[in-house]
Amino acid sequence: MDVLLFRSRRDDSSTERLIIELKRPKVRVGKKELDQIKGYARAIVDDPQYSGVDCTWRFYLITCKYSDKILRDIRQKDKPESLADDHHDYEVWVDRAQSSGGEVGFIQAEFSDSEVGFGHTRFSGGLVGFASTEFSGGTDSFTRARVSDFEAVPGGTVDFLHANFSGGMVSFDGFECSGGTVDFREAVFPGGTVNFDLASFAGDTADFRNAELSGGTADFFLADGVAPVGLVPSGRPPLPSELSLPPHWYSAGR
């Protein structure tokens, strides 16, 4: 399924509401998809509940590829490239997702009662930031995602620093970390379930130092490869009930 993200930003003089639709990688955006988000934008702006609200709406349609049939829409004379619809109270943009460099940020985002999918995504180069993000409900998937080198591009960085896994299910089933860095330092797991079944880790690519397992479940029992840094308790004390590790990892903590 596609992913829909919403965020409202306000300062002393204005309010901006952002709605971002992420299309699945296999979808080539054409007139149909562009007309859909234009119609969606107009329906929201014309909704009576927003009548008299002083704000600007910005709608972003993010895709890996789009059809030549919409080039006239997104390359209009005297307008910024990618701007497909421009009115005094809303804009519609179409842009390509970049997956091999730069920075993509979901910092301080909140995923609650939603389904957000990054399954089968390859993170090669650049930074994808989920720092201080709240995972508080719904089902969010990184199933079979890979943080790895790709065509001479070194593995990127996926940042969960201070992330809060407080509810719902976050799945890293089949997650592969063979290059780059996945950073869970000081992340907290006070509720919900974080599942790493059949995940694979190589070297010091994943870091859980100072992560707090105070509730919920972090399940690594069927994971493979090398234990992430800071995850296995030293001195072989009893494992906290919230943490499940493969036997060959825990024996390394003796």
Side-chain angles (χ1 to χ4, degrees), residues 73-196:
D73 297 278
I74 61 176
R75 296 179 182 173
Q76 300 181 45
K77 185 179 179 180
D78 299 326
K79 293 186 182 295
E81 185 168 339
S82 300
L83 180 59
D85 207 3
D86 183 18
H87 295 267
H88 74 279
D89 50 357
Y90 76 91
E91 300 170 352
V92 176
W93 298 75
V94 179
D95 208 350
R96 282 191 176 132
Q98 301 293 326
S99 59
S100 59
E103 298 187 9
V104 179
F106 297 91
I107 296 170
Q108 294 183 341
E110 181 175 345
F111 299 126
S112 59
D113 195 24
S114 60
E115 294 187 9
V116 178
F118 295 88
H120 298 270
T121 300
R122 183 192 292 272
F123 300 101
S124 298
L127 167 67
V128 180
F130 296 90
S132 300
T133 290
E134 175 90 19
F135 296 92
S136 58
T139 300
D140 305 312
S141 175
F142 295 82
T143 297
R144 298 188 183 280
R146 289 175 288 177
V147 182
S148 60
D149 302 344
F150 181 67
E151 295 183 351
V153 178
T157 297
V158 185
D159 182 9
F160 293 94
L161 181 69
H162 297 294
N164 186 353
F165 299 90
S166 60
M169 160 71 83
V170 182
S171 175
F172 291 86
D173 186 24
F175 186 82
E176 178 190 327
C177 187
S178 57
T181 303
V182 182
D183 189 354
F184 286 91
R185 286 176 302 152
E186 299 184 36
V188 294
F189 300 81
T193 298
V194 183
N195 180 17
F196 289 87

Side-chain angles (χ1 to χ4, degrees), residues 14-31:
S14 64
T15 298
E16 178 185 61
R17 290 192 168 110
L18 307 178
I19 294 183
I20 304 172
E21 183 179 2
L22 306 177
K23 303 302 288 185
R24 289 169 292 179
K26 67 180 182 180
V27 174
R28 182 184 295 275
V29 165
K31 290 291 290 183

